[in-house]
Amino acid sequence: MSQWLNTEQPIDQSTLEGRVVVAAGFQMLCPGCVDQTIPQLKRVHAMFPADEVAVIGLHTVFEHHEAMGPPALAAFLHEYKVAFPVAVDAPSPDGGPIPSTMRRYAMQGTPTLLLIDRSWHLRRQSFGHIADLQLGAEIMALVCEEPRINEGIAGESGSSSSTLDCDEHGCRVR
Amino acid sequence: MSQWLNTEQPIDQSTLEGRVVVAAGFQMLCPGCVDQTIPQLKRVHAMFPADEVAVIGLHTVFEHHEAMGPPALAAFLHEYKVAFPVAVDAPSPDGGPIPSTMRRYAMQGTPTLLLIDRSWHLRRQSFGHIADLQLGAEIMALVCEEPRINEGIAGESGSSSSTLDCDEHGCRVR
Amino acid sequence: MSQWLNTEQPIDQSTLEGRVVVAAGFQMLCPGCVDQTIPQLKRVHAMFPADEVAVIGLHTVFEHHEAMGPPALAAFLHEYKVAFPVAVDAPSPDGGPIPSTMRRYAMQGTPTLLLIDRSWHLRRQSFGHIADLQLGAEIMALVCEEPRINEGIAGESGSSSSTLDCDEHGCRVR
Amino acid sequence: MSQWLNTEQPIDQSTLEGRVVVAAGFQMLCPGCVDQTIPQLKRVHAMFPADEVAVIGLHTVFEHHEAMGPPALAAFLHEYKVAFPVAVDAPSPDGGPIPSTMRRYAMQGTPTLLLIDRSWHLRRQSFGHIADLQLGAEIMALVCEEPRINEGIAGESGSSSSTLDCDEHGCRVR
């Protein structure tokens, strides 16, 4: 991550230890993210105890970079009353449009939902929206689990080109 | 129960053994029930595996009895495409307007949500609507539990008079 | 009409003289009618002045007749807080399931929206839902018109058999 | 106006002559504008004939100026599929945060709806959202009118200080 908002210090695996993590890759100009993902993350943040479930936004900008820089993101988070920590994905090391974490996890676009268990395993990564009933159930299933031995998340290489392709469900990398 | 719809035979504790039960007291002419509870129960029914979670409607009519008899209920269930079993609450033994089970559990009105665990303990009884995110989490918390020794549900005596008082949240017994 | 609710005396052309009429054929067990048409008629009733625009419901039951008789309809109108006049369509003279007015106007099902101008001409008859923006515009276009010479509404013969076929848009006569 | 988007040449009174104008002051980071006003303007744009009704957005930024400049607005209009012309309000001549047109019309905040008749008279200016049914009716009432003698819109002086104060209805100037 190149930068964090809504938190005094960067968040990492040690900060989150033992908690379930609900994270989402989003863009502040992705209509489906603004309309569905951000409100859903706010509901998760409001409902689950913070010492059990951590909510994190990941600003994975892959187009319109000039319009979605950190000052614009800060204004967005303020106006949309987002209180949970948000990380700014670091630019691609090779200068391509897809940022670093987004590429490492081969995310298809925004929004991308990530569920990480208490043992720091990635248990769901999916493009698009899932219903509240299902998300509530999946989070609680992870909350109920005992932590396992930590093996880390295995990332994958993503593609290096992108064109924005948005509809009501989100914006895809093409 | 005086009658069951959408099931070949009456459902009881033995039929449900070991499953989590999501039930709701409703009335087919309660706007909040039609607008929120029935669609929510349909979503629960569609999402959770039937051998883990049983969904049951309980038609607890406490006014307009002449308009919500079993043939009207059957037409309602057909048109609203309700596929889960629905029980018709038995009339009050003393001739009052509040039906038998509704009175025994001292339900405040419709909708009333009931969550029963694998060991047949009543874990939630609440008047009105709860959000999908919370309901999904609460159901999954019960699914994750081991069954305990069965001690049955302890009912309470309800009041015997009623006046219908509906708003967008539901219809209350007064 | 066989009966009127929410009005002291039956409504006819003379009562409505010079007003725009917004009417809808509906059934109390038609999900699309309950979810969309009734709330929309309530919004029209609340927004337009009563001496300019009359709102009328027409209960055109073509199946489940036993579940939607006048006492059930009265309970429905009470619980859904419907304050505008509602007519009960008269049974078919030949004993078929489609009631008299529904058949005369060859309505395709419920909901059916009817817009009648100040000169008692039928200007729109359509099955299904139309958006509020369009309905507001169409009503106002009729309000702005001068009354013309009254020539009456020309009805057509409908079919005499019916099977209920409901989806989220409404219930069709087949 | 300092700039126009979605149009080849600036729009003025002569371009709009004889048409009803539906305009709205908005900000791309005002949640109520994004959630309600932009979709409503898109519905108006889609429904009314372009030679009768012109739809215009007015980007009246009064805070977070650095996050809502023209490149950011262009990205926003692209992603939200806004096809009608949008003007960028010119900065205040005295260097204050409230832009020029917003100040001249003493707008209270965003969104602000403006309805202008065929004779270029301002007929409605209101802060916040109005329902589709009402907006459809008000537009059509203006469409039905004959043009009058053109006298132009009389503007007023606005205040010169601002603090952003957003809730679900919009963002107010304080």
Side-chain angles (χ1 to χ4, degrees):
Chain A
M1 301 305 138
S2 64
Q3 194 175 337
W4 282 87
L5 292 92
N6 288 341
T7 176
E8 288 178 19
Q9 44 196 348
I11 289 171
D12 60 16
Q13 190 171 343
S14 67
T15 327
L16 297 168
E17 191 161 10
R19 287 193 281 170
V20 171
V21 179
V22 180
F26 76 100
Q27 295 179 103
M28 59 175 278
L29 291 181
C30 157
C33 302
V34 172
D35 188 41
Q36 299 197 294
T37 310
I38 295 295
Q40 188 178 55
L41 289 180
K42 289 170 73 172
R43 290 192 294 271
V44 172
H45 190 235
M47 203 193 96
F48 289 93
D51 58 351
E52 294 282 345
V53 175
V55 174
I56 295 174
L58 174 60
H59 201 226
T60 48
V61 176
F62 58 93
E63 209 177 65
H64 304 305
H65 293 83
E66 77 293 352
M68 295 191 267
L73 177 61
F76 172 83
L77 297 179
H78 177 75
E79 296 311 329
Y80 280 82
K81 302 192 196 317
V82 172
F84 49 80
V86 173
V88 178
D89 200 357
S92 168
D94 64 5
I98 299 181
S100 178
T101 301
M102 188 175 190
R103 183 172 167 178
R104 186 146 48 87
Y105 285 88
M107 294 183 193
Q108 290 175 261
T110 56
T112 289
L113 177 68
L114 305 170
L115 296 182
I116 299 168
D117 68 22
R118 294 180 185 280
S119 304
W120 201 247
H121 288 76
L122 179 62
R123 299 288 288 274
R124 172 193 270 275
Q125 174 177 327
S126 54
F127 172 73
H129 187 69
I130 72 165
D132 270 21
L133 189 69
Q134 185 170 355
L135 181 57
E138 292 195 16
I139 293 170
M140 187 54 86
L142 299 182
V143 167
C144 295
E145 286 182 355
E146 296 299 313
R148 293 174 300 166
I149 294 161
N150 187 342
E151 302 161 29
I153 304 175
E156 294 170 40
S157 301
S159 69
S160 61
S161 70
S162 76
T163 313
L164 202 58
D165 174 28
C166 297
D167 61 17
E168 71 276 23
H169 305 299
C171 300
R172 284 174 191 277
V173 174
R174 271 201 294 210
Chain B
M1 301 307 140
S2 65
Q3 194 174 340
W4 283 87
L5 291 92
N6 288 342
T7 175
E8 287 179 19
Q9 44 195 348
I11 288 171
D12 60 19
Q13 190 171 341
S14 67
T15 326
L16 298 168
E17 190 160 12
R19 288 193 282 169
V20 172
V21 179
V22 180
F26 76 102
Q27 297 178 102
M28 60 175 278
L29 291 182
C30 158
C33 302
V34 173
D35 188 41
Q36 298 197 295
T37 310
I38 295 295
Q40 189 178 55
L41 289 180
K42 288 169 74 172
R43 290 192 294 271
V44 172
H45 191 235
M47 204 193 95
F48 289 93
D51 58 350
E52 293 282 345
V53 176
V55 175
I56 295 174
L58 174 60
H59 201 227
T60 49
V61 176
F62 59 93
E63 210 178 67
H64 304 305
H65 293 84
E66 77 292 352
M68 295 191 267
L73 176 61
F76 172 83
L77 298 179
H78 177 75
E79 294 312 329
Y80 280 82
K81 304 192 195 316
V82 172
F84 50 79
V86 173
V88 178
D89 199 359
S92 168
D94 65 5
I98 298 181
S100 178
T101 301
M102 187 176 192
R103 183 173 169 178
R104 186 146 49 87
Y105 285 89
M107 294 182 192
Q108 290 175 261
T110 54
T112 288
L113 177 67
L114 305 170
L115 296 182
I116 300 168
D117 68 21
R118 294 181 185 282
S119 304
W120 201 246
H121 289 76
L122 179 63
R123 299 289 287 275
R124 173 192 270 273
Q125 174 177 328
S126 55
F127 173 73
H129 188 69
I130 72 166
D132 270 20
L133 190 68
Q134 185 170 354
L135 182 58
E138 293 196 17
I139 293 170
M140 188 55 85
L142 299 183
V143 167
C144 294
E145 287 181 354
E146 296 298 313
R148 292 175 300 167
I149 294 162
N150 187 341
E151 302 162 29
I153 304 174
E156 294 171 39
S157 300
S159 69
S160 61
S161 71
S162 77
T163 314
L164 201 59
D165 174 28
C166 296
D167 61 17
E168 70 276 23
H169 304 298
C171 301
R172 282 176 192 276
V173 173
R174 270 200 295 212
Chain C
M1 300 306 137
S2 65
Q3 193 175 339
W4 283 87
L5 291 92
N6 288 341
T7 176
E8 286 179 19
Q9 42 196 351
I11 288 171
D12 60 18
Q13 191 172 341
S14 67
T15 326
L16 298 168
E17 190 160 10
R19 288 193 281 169
V20 171
V21 179
V22 180
F26 76 101
Q27 296 179 102
M28 60 174 279
L29 291 181
C30 157
C33 302
V34 172
D35 189 40
Q36 300 197 295
T37 309
I38 295 294
Q40 188 178 55
L41 289 180
K42 289 170 72 172
R43 290 192 294 271
V44 172
H45 191 235
M47 204 194 94
F48 289 93
D51 57 351
E52 293 283 345
V53 176
V55 175
I56 295 174
L58 175 59
H59 202 226
T60 47
V61 176
F62 59 92
E63 209 177 68
H64 303 306
H65 294 83
E66 76 295 351
M68 296 191 266
L73 176 61
F76 172 84
L77 297 179
H78 176 76
E79 295 312 328
Y80 280 81
K81 303 192 195 318
V82 173
F84 50 79
V86 173
V88 178
D89 199 358
S92 168
D94 65 5
I98 299 181
S100 178
T101 300
M102 186 174 191
R103 183 173 167 179
R104 187 147 48 86
Y105 286 88
M107 295 182 191
Q108 290 175 263
T110 55
T112 289
L113 176 67
L114 305 170
L115 295 182
I116 299 169
D117 68 21
R118 293 180 186 282
S119 303
W120 201 247
H121 289 75
L122 180 62
R123 299 288 288 274
R124 173 192 270 273
Q125 174 177 326
S126 54
F127 172 74
H129 187 69
I130 71 166
D132 269 21
L133 190 69
Q134 185 170 354
L135 182 58
E138 293 196 14
I139 293 171
M140 187 55 85
L142 298 182
V143 167
C144 295
E145 287 181 352
E146 297 298 312
R148 294 174 296 167
I149 294 162
N150 188 340
E151 303 160 29
I153 305 173
E156 295 171 38
S157 301
S159 70
S160 60
S161 70
S162 77
T163 314
L164 202 59
D165 174 28
C166 297
D167 61 17
E168 70 277 25
H169 304 298
C171 301
R172 282 174 192 277
V173 175
R174 273 202 293 210
Chain D
M1 301 305 139
S2 65
Q3 193 175 339
W4 282 88
L5 291 92
N6 289 343
T7 175
E8 288 178 18
Q9 43 196 351
I11 288 171
D12 59 18
Q13 191 171 342
S14 67
T15 327
L16 298 168
E17 192 161 9
R19 287 193 281 169
V20 171
V21 179
V22 180
F26 75 101
Q27 295 179 103
M28 61 174 277
L29 291 182
C30 157
C33 302
V34 172
D35 188 39
Q36 299 197 294
T37 310
I38 295 295
Q40 188 178 54
L41 289 180
K42 289 170 73 172
R43 290 193 294 270
V44 172
H45 190 236
M47 204 194 96
F48 289 93
D51 57 351
E52 293 282 345
V53 177
V55 175
I56 295 175
L58 174 59
H59 201 226
T60 49
V61 175
F62 58 93
E63 210 178 66
H64 303 307
H65 294 82
E66 76 293 351
M68 296 191 266
L73 177 61
F76 172 83
L77 297 179
H78 177 75
E79 295 312 329
Y80 280 81
K81 303 191 195 320
V82 172
F84 50 80
V86 173
V88 178
D89 199 358
S92 167
D94 65 6
I98 298 181
S100 179
T101 300
M102 189 177 191
R103 184 173 167 178
R104 186 146 49 85
Y105 286 89
M107 294 182 192
Q108 291 175 260
T110 55
T112 288
L113 177 67
L114 305 169
L115 296 183
I116 298 168
D117 68 20
R118 293 180 185 281
S119 304
W120 201 246
H121 288 76
L122 180 62
R123 299 289 288 275
R124 173 193 269 275
Q125 175 178 326
S126 55
F127 172 74
H129 187 69
I130 71 165
D132 270 21
L133 190 68
Q134 185 171 355
L135 182 58
E138 293 196 15
I139 293 170
M140 188 54 86
L142 299 181
V143 167
C144 296
E145 286 181 353
E146 296 299 313
R148 292 175 298 168
I149 294 162
N150 188 340
E151 303 160 30
I153 304 174
E156 295 170 38
S157 301
S159 70
S160 62
S161 70
S162 76
T163 315
L164 201 60
D165 174 28
C166 297
D167 61 16
E168 71 275 23
H169 304 298
C171 301
R172 283 174 192 276
V173 174
R174 272 200 294 209

mmCIF file of all heavy atoms in Angstrom, chain A residues 107-122:
data_model
loop_
_atom_site.group_PDB
_atom_site.id
_atom_site.type_symbol
_atom_site.label_atom_id
_atom_site.label_comp_id
_atom_site.label_asym_id
_atom_site.label_seq_id
_atom_site.Cartn_x
_atom_site.Cartn_y
_atom_site.Cartn_z
ATOM 1 N N MET A 107 -7.162 -9.405 -9.447
ATOM 2 C CA MET A 107 -8.568 -8.994 -9.340
ATOM 3 C C MET A 107 -9.115 -8.674 -10.720
ATOM 4 O O MET A 107 -8.436 -8.078 -11.541
ATOM 5 C CB MET A 107 -8.682 -7.759 -8.444
ATOM 6 C CG MET A 107 -8.311 -8.015 -6.998
ATOM 7 S SD MET A 107 -8.554 -6.504 -5.994
ATOM 8 C CE MET A 107 -7.681 -6.989 -4.484
ATOM 9 N N GLN A 108 -10.369 -9.029 -10.951
ATOM 10 C CA GLN A 108 -10.995 -8.820 -12.256
ATOM 11 C C GLN A 108 -11.456 -7.395 -12.466
ATOM 12 O O GLN A 108 -11.779 -6.996 -13.577
ATOM 13 C CB GLN A 108 -12.224 -9.709 -12.393
ATOM 14 C CG GLN A 108 -11.937 -11.176 -12.514
ATOM 15 C CD GLN A 108 -13.240 -11.937 -12.524
ATOM 16 O OE1 GLN A 108 -13.653 -12.468 -11.495
ATOM 17 N NE2 GLN A 108 -13.919 -11.950 -13.660
ATOM 18 N N GLY A 109 -11.629 -6.637 -11.391
ATOM 19 C CA GLY A 109 -12.137 -5.269 -11.493
ATOM 20 C C GLY A 109 -12.613 -4.802 -10.132
ATOM 21 O O GLY A 109 -12.189 -5.339 -9.103
ATOM 22 N N THR A 110 -13.469 -3.805 -10.119
ATOM 23 C CA THR A 110 -14.034 -3.321 -8.851
ATOM 24 C C THR A 110 -15.551 -3.352 -8.944
ATOM 25 O O THR A 110 -16.091 -3.072 -10.007
ATOM 26 C CB THR A 110 -13.585 -1.875 -8.559
ATOM 27 O OG1 THR A 110 -13.938 -1.033 -9.662
ATOM 28 C CG2 THR A 110 -12.111 -1.792 -8.267
ATOM 29 N N PRO A 111 -16.273 -3.700 -7.866
ATOM 30 C CA PRO A 111 -15.713 -4.091 -6.582
ATOM 31 C C PRO A 111 -15.243 -5.540 -6.564
ATOM 32 O O PRO A 111 -15.778 -6.382 -7.261
ATOM 33 C CB PRO A 111 -16.920 -3.943 -5.643
ATOM 34 C CG PRO A 111 -18.106 -4.252 -6.503
ATOM 35 C CD PRO A 111 -17.749 -3.681 -7.857
ATOM 36 N N THR A 112 -14.224 -5.797 -5.744
ATOM 37 C CA THR A 112 -13.803 -7.164 -5.466
ATOM 38 C C THR A 112 -13.836 -7.366 -3.952
ATOM 39 O O THR A 112 -13.186 -6.641 -3.201
ATOM 40 C CB THR A 112 -12.383 -7.430 -5.991
ATOM 41 O OG1 THR A 112 -12.426 -7.485 -7.418
ATOM 42 C CG2 THR A 112 -11.837 -8.762 -5.473
ATOM 43 N N LEU A 113 -14.613 -8.336 -3.537
ATOM 44 C CA LEU A 113 -14.754 -8.639 -2.113
ATOM 45 C C LEU A 113 -13.715 -9.674 -1.692
ATOM 46 O O LEU A 113 -13.503 -10.661 -2.392
ATOM 47 C CB LEU A 113 -16.164 -9.188 -1.844
ATOM 48 C CG LEU A 113 -16.458 -9.630 -0.415
ATOM 49 C CD1 LEU A 113 -16.487 -8.434 0.529
ATOM 50 C CD2 LEU A 113 -17.784 -10.385 -0.356
ATOM 51 N N LEU A 114 -13.093 -9.418 -0.554
ATOM 52 C CA LEU A 114 -12.112 -10.352 0.006
ATOM 53 C C LEU A 114 -12.537 -10.709 1.425
ATOM 54 O O LEU A 114 -12.803 -9.819 2.237
ATOM 55 C CB LEU A 114 -10.729 -9.694 0.066
ATOM 56 C CG LEU A 114 -10.155 -9.114 -1.227
ATOM 57 C CD1 LEU A 114 -8.892 -8.294 -0.930
ATOM 58 C CD2 LEU A 114 -9.828 -10.231 -2.215
ATOM 59 N N LEU A 115 -12.599 -12.000 1.732
ATOM 60 C CA LEU A 115 -12.829 -12.442 3.110
ATOM 61 C C LEU A 115 -11.608 -13.232 3.549
ATOM 62 O O LEU A 115 -11.208 -14.191 2.877
ATOM 63 C CB LEU A 115 -14.087 -13.314 3.211
ATOM 64 C CG LEU A 115 -15.412 -12.638 2.872
ATOM 65 C CD1 LEU A 115 -16.574 -13.628 3.071
ATOM 66 C CD2 LEU A 115 -15.631 -11.398 3.725
ATOM 67 N N ILE A 116 -11.043 -12.815 4.671
ATOM 68 C CA ILE A 116 -9.809 -13.431 5.172
ATOM 69 C C ILE A 116 -10.090 -13.956 6.572
ATOM 70 O O ILE A 116 -10.683 -13.251 7.390
ATOM 71 C CB ILE A 116 -8.680 -12.368 5.208
ATOM 72 C CG1 ILE A 116 -8.441 -11.840 3.774
ATOM 73 C CG2 ILE A 116 -7.394 -12.938 5.796
ATOM 74 C CD1 ILE A 116 -7.564 -10.608 3.708
ATOM 75 N N ASP A 117 -9.706 -15.189 6.833
ATOM 76 C CA ASP A 117 -10.066 -15.777 8.127
ATOM 77 C C ASP A 117 -9.065 -15.384 9.223
ATOM 78 O O ASP A 117 -8.089 -14.671 8.981
ATOM 79 C CB ASP A 117 -10.256 -17.291 8.004
ATOM 80 C CG ASP A 117 -8.968 -18.042 7.709
ATOM 81 O OD1 ASP A 117 -7.871 -17.517 7.990
ATOM 82 O OD2 ASP A 117 -9.066 -19.181 7.220
ATOM 83 N N ARG A 118 -9.343 -15.847 10.435
ATOM 84 C CA ARG A 118 -8.530 -15.488 11.603
ATOM 85 C C ARG A 118 -7.079 -15.945 11.462
ATOM 86 O O ARG A 118 -6.205 -15.464 12.179
ATOM 87 C CB ARG A 118 -9.107 -16.160 12.860
ATOM 88 C CG ARG A 118 -10.479 -15.683 13.273
ATOM 89 C CD ARG A 118 -10.894 -16.446 14.536
ATOM 90 N NE ARG A 118 -12.245 -16.177 14.979
ATOM 91 C CZ ARG A 118 -12.607 -15.095 15.671
ATOM 92 N NH1 ARG A 118 -11.737 -14.168 15.958
ATOM 93 N NH2 ARG A 118 -13.856 -14.947 16.071
ATOM 94 N N SER A 119 -6.867 -16.912 10.596
ATOM 95 C CA SER A 119 -5.516 -17.443 10.405
ATOM 96 C C SER A 119 -4.852 -16.856 9.162
ATOM 97 O O SER A 119 -3.874 -17.396 8.655
ATOM 98 C CB SER A 119 -5.576 -18.971 10.268
ATOM 99 O OG SER A 119 -6.221 -19.529 11.379
ATOM 100 N N TRP A 120 -5.453 -15.764 8.646
ATOM 101 C CA TRP A 120 -4.859 -15.025 7.545
ATOM 102 C C TRP A 120 -4.872 -15.788 6.229
ATOM 103 O O TRP A 120 -4.040 -15.616 5.352
ATOM 104 C CB TRP A 120 -3.432 -14.593 7.939
ATOM 105 C CG TRP A 120 -2.925 -13.448 7.132
ATOM 106 C CD1 TRP A 120 -1.896 -13.470 6.229
ATOM 107 C CD2 TRP A 120 -3.416 -12.106 7.113
ATOM 108 N NE1 TRP A 120 -1.723 -12.237 5.661
ATOM 109 C CE2 TRP A 120 -2.636 -11.370 6.189
ATOM 110 C CE3 TRP A 120 -4.452 -11.447 7.796
ATOM 111 C CZ2 TRP A 120 -2.846 -10.019 5.931
ATOM 112 C CZ3 TRP A 120 -4.654 -10.106 7.545
ATOM 113 C CH2 TRP A 120 -3.867 -9.407 6.625
ATOM 114 N N HIS A 121 -5.895 -16.642 6.078
ATOM 115 C CA HIS A 121 -6.113 -17.296 4.788
ATOM 116 C C HIS A 121 -7.205 -16.555 4.032
ATOM 117 O O HIS A 121 -8.241 -16.213 4.617
ATOM 118 C CB HIS A 121 -6.572 -18.751 4.971
ATOM 119 C CG HIS A 121 -5.495 -19.645 5.452
ATOM 120 N ND1 HIS A 121 -5.080 -19.647 6.766
ATOM 121 C CD2 HIS A 121 -4.731 -20.563 4.803
ATOM 122 C CE1 HIS A 121 -4.104 -20.535 6.913
ATOM 123 N NE2 HIS A 121 -3.868 -21.098 5.742
ATOM 124 N N LEU A 122 -6.994 -16.380 2.760
ATOM 125 C CA LEU A 122 -8.008 -15.776 1.895
ATOM 126 C C LEU A 122 -9.072 -16.833 1.606
ATOM 127 O O LEU A 122 -8.783 -17.871 1.019
ATOM 128 C CB LEU A 122 -7.353 -15.307 0.583
ATOM 129 C CG LEU A 122 -8.273 -14.662 -0.451
ATOM 130 C CD1 LEU A 122 -8.923 -13.395 0.077
ATOM 131 C CD2 LEU A 122 -7.486 -14.368 -1.729
#
